[in-house]
Amino acid sequence: MCPSTLSPIAIPDAALPESARRLRTEVRAFLDEERARGTALGRPDSWLAGWDPGFSRRLAERGWVGMALPTEYGGAGRGFLERYVVIEELLAAGAPVSAHWVSDRQAGPSVLQHGTEEQRRFFLPRIAAGQCFFSIGMSEKSSGSDLASVHTRAERTSDGWRLTGTKMWTGGAHVNDYAIVLARTDEAEDKHTGLSQFIVDLRAPGVRIEPIRLMSGEHRFNAFHLDGVDVPDGMLLGRRGDGWKQVTGELAFERSGPERYLSTFPLLVSLLSELEHRSVTAGQLTQVGLLTARLHSVRRLSLGVAAALNAGASPDTQAALVKDLGTRLEGTLVDTVRSILPTRADPHATPGSHAELLAFALLHSPGYTLRGGTNEILRGIITRGLEQR
Amino acid sequence: MNTHTIDTDTPVISADAYDTAAFFTGSEAIAVVTNTTAPDAVPLPSPDASTAELLFAAQEAGRRAVPAPFTETALVARPLLRRAGLPVPDGPLSYAIAPELTIRYAHPAASPVGSAGCLGDDDTLLITGTLHRVPWARAAGAVVVLATAPSGPVLFTLDPDRAALTPGANLAGEPRDDLHLAPLEIPASRVRRIPRELLEEAEHRAALGRAALMAGAAERCVELTVAHTTARVQFGRPLSHFQAVKQEEARLIEEAALVRAAVQAAATPLDTGGPAAHFAVAAAKTQASASAAEIARIAHQLHGAIGITQLNPLHLATTRLWSWRDEDGDETDWALRLARSVTAATLWPALTTKP
């Protein structure tokens, strides 16, 4: 850390380990093979929309799913910075990574940190093998950014818990295996206490999945109804009543990663390809350069937060900062690409064509600054973090 | 990784204390740059300091609005002189990258090869033309000039006292003087033929130094704005408690962080040179210049009316941001150069090039 000030703008500069260069080369070679195989690549927002369990398993065979997990649990034990290199390569290439995304980013680290030894031995090797996919069951119909207002209840039974309630925005619940559900186990004055996390089998009796179609028509999200779902004691994740602490502890990982600025990067690459066949004005190039500079700068900030996380710090304020900057850039990129090369967005154009990618990115763009905590709320976190110094 | 020795408790220059004219009469400018005990000085780092250390110190100079040619001396002139094998004078220095000068050899060689006058019996030069807006020229002991002689790129040092000086200044009141050379003889001992890469390195050093100053000034905008919104009470509560204020303040903090990250990211590539240096420096200056407007806008808006007066030190940072974003290449220049350096196939590799 720079000693100059206490300002949160002083995020450490990250130097990737030397091993990252070799790893990057390996991932690029793997992606070349996948392109040759015809696996859909080059898509915007592939961490939400690119669901391909076969791809996830092939990645897992290389040791690139759950790669930050310890080897004793089937992981690769390679740390967050090497994981960073792998996932940024995948996102930049628009690879279909959504099947394992949540298990890799959240469920794995969360089970490792809070889970029982039994849970670790059961889930972590399956996650790392690309054979166990997770959804997040946090948000609810009326909760939005006010996550602590969840109403889903978990009542004590003779040998476990009975969960009742409805979760919203549960991505992939219709195709995944498990969800980590945040539920209220105890009534308390302070709504942040009395919450607990449970690992719920998405095929258990009483689970009902109802699609919530996006405006593009895609089925990515669901309403996830828990109509008295019995969850055994062994599937309580972490300590009863610690749910809020556990959930917020994950947020720095969730908010600062490369998925927060690379969702629309493949569209910029597509634009550059288009421009290579045309005569280009200085004005167009200038806009490309401005976008490139901003991408580069946001990436360096994101890397800095990853380095801090890798070192065991909890840079929540800085993670919020990266998410606000990065996700705004994702949206700006779409509008700027459209203005650099006026193109009629067409969802029915040839898949992978510039017009089709633009349509896809446009229809997804309002979500970037919503998911993972709305940016307006994050800005409150940023200023609070600063003023408390 | 950082081993900086700057005392960060040193007060930042106040609006009252700042008087360009007072600093730049006689030898005081030299005192400002070299006297490490002066309250407003950022000491010149050792000539052996690493680029990362120099950039850190340059950010401090920008944060404190140090009234002296700090980056001009430490990040540009000294390293260029060393690279060219010329002695490095003490005290403040400046530079000019001036392809438009008219240069002849003072003692043309009657060479059987090439056109007449393209070489000299020695490298003594005759220079005609004007060096425009040379930073701190009136205070500099020497100006390092990079130009094109008939034989190719050259670097030479110029004593500003030997030129006719027309004083000028930028929006912040920092000296930007024109030096008229009509014609001026530069002895061969002060001239070096240089490889073309050194010209590019000079541009990179100038742009990155300027961007580092901007990162510091941006940080100063954050400090002053947070202090103001925390202390200033309106409608019965501090400004910082208003949602509308939080939204803007967060964007200010983010934009400043972005500039700083871009500058830091260029430190190592600057040393290694080549395409990685070009990419990182171009990105840093593009981002610094492109962010200046938003940083200054928000800082002023959240300061209210007091911020647009000389009673408040904010102007020391914002007028510099507005000036520096145009100097050593603005965001349009550098964005264009950045975009020309990438294609669809190379954009991602360029973004992820180590270091």
Side-chain angles (χ1 to χ4, degrees), chain A residues 78-194:
Chain A
R78 300 187 75 165
F80 289 104
L81 287 176
E82 292 191 44
R83 175 181 176 272
Y84 192 101
V85 168
V86 172
I87 62 177
E88 75 170 350
E89 285 297 324
L90 295 168
L91 294 174
V97 291
S98 83
H100 68 274
W101 193 260
V102 167
S103 27
D104 179 83
R105 182 183 70 186
Q106 256 151 303
S110 192
V111 168
L112 179 68
Q113 195 186 345
H114 307 299
T116 62
E117 188 57 25
E118 208 178 346
Q119 288 168 346
R120 291 180 187 167
R121 299 229 167 264
F122 182 81
F123 288 109
L124 299 183
R126 287 171 173 79
I127 286 174
Q131 288 168 353
C132 181
F133 302 134
F134 272 80
S135 295
I136 301 175
M138 285 192 198
S139 198
E140 296 185 6
K141 191 168 184 179
S142 54
S143 63
S145 289
D146 184 12
L147 186 57
S149 70
V150 297
H151 287 103
T152 296
R153 317 187 57 79
E155 284 153 340
R156 205 74 183 95
T157 61
S158 58
D159 58 349
W161 303 84
R162 181 162 297 157
L163 270 62
T164 309
T166 297
K167 292 290 173 182
M168 288 281 281
W169 318 120
T170 314
H174 57 304
V175 282
N176 288 345
D177 306 299
Y178 294 91
I180 296 181
V181 173
L182 183 67
R184 189 161 297 284
T185 40
D186 301 280
E187 282 308 324
E189 286 269 305
D190 175 5
K191 63 182 184 176
H192 297 99
T193 58

Side-chain angles (χ1 to χ4, degrees), chain A residues 229-343:
Chain A
V229 176
D230 283 319
V231 176
D233 253 337
M235 291 296 114
L236 171 69
L237 178 62
R239 295 213 331 229
R240 174 175 179 170
D242 276 0
W244 181 256
K245 207 169 72 187
Q246 292 170 204
V247 161
T248 49
E250 295 166 21
L251 288 176
F253 290 96
E254 189 187 336
R255 286 177 175 161
S256 63
E259 70 269 36
R260 299 302 178 183
Y261 64 94
L262 285 177
S263 298
T264 53
F265 179 77
L267 186 66
L268 180 59
V269 175
S270 168
L271 171 82
L272 288 180
S273 293
E274 290 294 313
L275 293 181
E276 278 159 21
H277 307 301
R278 298 160 204 264
S279 63
V280 181
T281 66
Q284 287 173 308
L285 278 177
T286 301
Q287 289 194 74
V288 168
L290 288 166
L291 274 179
T292 304
R294 204 165 175 91
L295 264 168
H296 170 75
S297 311
V298 172
R299 175 173 180 269
R300 298 303 301 203
L301 276 178
S302 171
L303 265 178
V305 177
L309 285 168
N310 206 45
S314 343
D316 301 338
T317 307
Q318 288 87 347
L321 185 153
V322 169
K323 183 184 181 279
D324 188 29
L325 274 173
T327 55
R328 279 196 282 132
L329 173 59
E330 290 179 328
T332 305
L333 189 149
V334 179
D335 294 333
T336 310
V337 162
R338 177 185 163 276
S339 106
I340 293 172
L341 181 67
T343 302

Side-chain angles (χ1 to χ4, degrees), chain B:
Chain B
M1 61 172 260
N2 292 316
T3 54
H4 312 295
T5 53
I6 290 170
D7 170 14
T8 53
D9 293 332
T10 302
V12 170
I13 190 166
S14 69
D16 296 342
Y18 186 72
D19 182 344
T20 309
F23 278 114
F24 290 96
T25 51
S27 61
E28 280 187 66
I30 296 169
V32 169
V33 193
T34 58
N35 180 351
T36 56
T37 59
D40 295 315
V42 171
L44 272 178
S46 134
D48 298 323
S50 72
T51 301
E53 287 171 314
L54 291 178
L55 282 175
F56 177 80
Q59 289 181 54
E60 276 301 297
R63 191 170 78 85
R64 300 184 203 187
V66 166
F70 183 87
T71 57
E72 288 83 348
T73 305
L75 263 158
V76 188
R78 283 174 161 190
L80 290 177
L81 287 171
R82 277 162 65 115
R83 289 286 303 277
L86 281 168
V88 179
D90 288 336
L93 304 172
S94 189
Y95 62 88
I97 300 168
E100 70 279 10
L101 287 179
T102 304
I103 301 185
R104 288 181 291 129
Y105 282 99
H107 314 125
S111 164
V113 183
S115 54
C118 74
L119 286 171
D121 279 338
D122 61 24
D123 280 343
T124 303
L125 302 177
L126 271 180
I127 315 285
T128 313
T130 299
L131 298 173
H132 296 282
R133 300 186 70 77
V134 177
W136 305 94
R138 75 191 77 159
V143 177
V144 174
V145 182
L146 292 105
T148 308
S151 62
V154 289
L155 179 151
F156 60 87
T157 57
L158 172 73
D159 176 357
D161 291 345
R162 295 190 58 211
L165 186 148
T166 309
N170 64 16
L171 291 172
E174 293 186 304
R176 295 294 183 262
D177 304 326
D178 287 351
L179 294 176
H180 308 282
L181 321 170
L184 185 66
E185 188 172 297
I186 309 287
S189 61
R190 307 185 112 201
V191 177
R192 290 290 180 277
R193 300 186 198 191
I194 55 170
R196 195 155 291 282
E197 302 83 70
L198 198 60
L199 266 181
E200 188 180 50
E201 183 181 330
E203 290 178 336
H204 289 166
R205 290 187 165 278
L208 187 58
R210 200 63 66 196
L213 288 172
M214 294 181 75
E219 187 169 353
R220 185 72 177 136
C221 286
V222 171
E223 288 172 359
L224 291 170
T225 302
V226 171
H228 181 76
T229 60
T230 312
R232 170 91 166 146
V233 173
Q234 293 274 273
F235 305 105
R237 50 190 177 136
L239 285 177
S240 62
H241 287 203
F242 290 83
Q243 278 299 331
V245 170
K246 287 182 204 276
Q247 296 294 311
E248 287 290 87
E249 195 167 83
R251 285 170 187 254
L252 166 65
I253 294 164
E254 289 170 5
E255 212 61 32
L258 206 58
V259 174
R260 186 184 179 122
V263 168
Q264 281 180 201
T268 311
L270 186 70
D271 288 335
T272 55
H278 182 72
F279 186 90
V281 169
K285 186 58 164 78
T286 299
Q287 193 55 56
S289 291
S291 294
E294 182 76 342
I295 290 166
R297 179 190 71 76
I298 298 174
H300 273 294
Q301 184 67 17
L302 295 185
H303 268 79
I306 197 70
I308 60 174
T309 68
Q310 289 197 339
L311 298 171
N312 187 287
L314 179 63
H315 70 96
L316 296 173
T318 54
T319 53
R320 278 173 176 71
L321 284 175
W322 287 321
S323 298
W324 292 341
R325 68 175 169 179
D326 292 334
E327 294 175 354
D328 300 299
D330 64 19
E331 69 270 32
T332 303
D333 297 331
W334 283 108
L336 198 54
R337 294 174 65 163
L338 188 61
R340 285 192 172 128
S341 73
V342 293
T343 64
T346 65
L347 174 62
W348 182 247
L351 281 164
T352 52
T353 297
K354 233 191 138 194

